[in-house]
Amino acid sequence: RDFLRRWLLTPPPPQVASSMASMVAYLKDDCPPLPSFEIPPLGKVLSLIRAGEASAQIFREVLLSLEATVDVLNIMDVTEEVGAYKEGDDIETDEHNFIISLMDILRYESGIDAVPANLRHRCLDAAQIIEDVVSIHGHHDSVTSRGDKVTGTGDIVPLAFYERNEKHWRGRIKPEAPPEAYD
């Protein structure tokens, strides 16, 4: 909504508007469905990450956005050769034009002069870093395999107390991730 309001109040340059028109034309025809995009609020995510206060759920949302971006870039087989397109290239498929239009809008909105193949590799690298630290499915296998012990003999505070009280956040970070990954 804010995006459309901003574009109506301050229209983009003609090249960017033309790119948006070609993307809309591609999407209204019989094209493969695009993945669902739920982009987390960028300012909030960045401030939480910089402050070291981002939860596992925030990283999961970022990961879903990264995966959706890679899925969109995979509409066209983004290889090194195809991804390094130039204006006037003779590759004229609808998918290729869609990706070129998407990159034009990305350049205008973010200031990033991204090439599709490089953007895809950046997304995959960031996703791998997140997956190395954050448990994607909510609980790590080693935590769920222990189960909830009812008694803890020999301990002052039974192990079951910790397991029940920590179950909401336990297992969200992989214990084998090195401590420097948290910085």
Side-chain angles (χ1 to χ4, degrees), residues 88-94 96-97:
D89 277 353
D90 59 350
I91 304 170
E92 289 297 326
T93 64
D94 289 338
H96 187 268
N97 289 335

Side-chain angles (χ1 to χ4, degrees), residues 5-170:
R5 182 180 306 136
R6 189 168 32 92
W7 272 38
L8 289 173
L9 293 174
T10 56
Q15 169 67 26
V16 177
S18 170
S19 294
M20 179 59 86
S22 69
M23 281 180 53
V24 169
Y26 173 77
L27 292 173
K28 77 175 183 124
D29 292 336
D30 293 329
C31 69
L34 294 179
S36 175
F37 266 101
E38 291 202 25
I39 300 172
L42 184 62
K44 180 179 180 179
V45 169
L46 288 176
S47 66
L48 288 172
I49 289 174
R50 286 181 181 147
E53 297 177 2
S55 66
Q57 184 59 37
I58 297 285
F59 283 108
R60 283 190 200 105
E61 291 176 16
V62 170
L63 184 64
L64 290 174
S65 294
L66 291 170
E67 289 172 349
T69 302
V70 170
D71 288 345
V72 168
L73 292 173
N74 285 338
I75 288 173
M76 178 186 73
D77 185 22
V78 179
T79 60
E80 295 297 327
E81 300 82 29
V82 176
Y85 70 90
K86 297 182 187 103
E87 294 288 327
D89 277 353
D90 59 350
I91 304 170
E92 289 297 326
T93 64
D94 289 338
E95 291 82 9
H96 187 268
N97 289 335
F98 175 78
I99 298 296
I100 289 174
S101 298
L102 188 64
M103 291 297 116
D104 287 342
I105 294 171
L106 175 70
R107 274 188 217 100
Y108 175 72
E109 288 294 319
S110 68
I112 297 174
D113 190 19
V115 175
N118 292 344
L119 179 61
R120 183 176 178 272
H121 290 299
R122 285 181 183 175
C123 289
L124 291 172
D125 290 344
Q128 185 61 50
I129 291 168
I130 292 171
E131 288 174 347
D132 287 345
V133 176
V134 178
S135 181
I136 303 308
H137 301 292
H139 296 287
H140 196 262
D141 293 337
S142 65
V143 172
T144 57
S145 64
R146 286 191 313 212
D148 185 14
K149 297 188 168 83
V150 178
T151 62
T153 57
D155 292 332
I156 295 174
V157 179
L159 183 58
F161 173 82
Y162 293 112
E163 289 180 357
R164 278 193 288 267
N165 290 314
E166 296 174 356
K167 70 180 173 184
H168 299 292
W169 57 268
R170 190 176 271 214

